[in-house]
Amino acid sequence: MLQDIERKVLRIIANFSVGRRRTPNVDELCVKTGRSRAGVMEVLAILAREGYIQWDRSHPNDIKLLEAWERKETSGWGRK
C-alpha cells in the first residue's frame, strides 16, 4: 500500500503525462508537491522499487509510467 505522498506523486505523473504527453521532471514534481528535490527523489525510488514507474537515480528526469493507479491490497483484510 502506498503512502499518501507516493500516491500523490503517482497521480501527478499520470495526469501530467496525459495532459502534456510527457512525464514531469523532478523540478516540476518539487513544485507540484511542495517537497524538496531529495524528498521527491526518494518517492521516485520507492515507486520504481514497487514497479509503478521505471526510473534510475542517475537519470532523474527520465521517468516512464508503468502503472497509473495504486494496486488493490491483496492481504485479505476486509474480504468476506
Side-chain angles (χ1 to χ4, degrees):
M1 187 165 165
L2 296 176
Q3 298 294 319
D4 288 343
I5 186 61
E6 296 156 3
R7 192 177 308 107
K8 179 179 184 177
V9 169
L10 182 62
R11 294 306 315 141
I12 290 169
I13 293 169
N15 291 334
F16 197 101
S17 64
V18 168
R20 301 206 177 145
R21 297 185 182 187
R22 67 174 179 87
T23 56
N25 61 42
V26 174
D27 293 330
E28 290 166 327
L29 289 172
C30 291
V31 169
K32 293 192 177 297
T33 61
R35 298 279 176 141
S36 67
R37 186 173 178 86
V40 168
M41 298 276 280
E42 182 59 34
V43 170
L44 291 173
I46 292 167
L47 291 174
R49 186 171 54 243
E50 295 290 325
Y52 288 98
I53 63 172
Q54 188 174 46
W55 180 78
D56 182 5
R57 191 176 289 270
S58 63
H59 301 288
N61 291 323
D62 186 18
I63 302 168
K64 181 179 179 188
L65 182 65
L66 302 176
E67 195 169 340
W69 296 96
E70 182 178 16
R71 297 178 200 109
K72 297 288 185 191
E73 190 65 35
T74 59
S75 67
W77 288 96
R79 292 181 139 179
K80 293 185 177 185

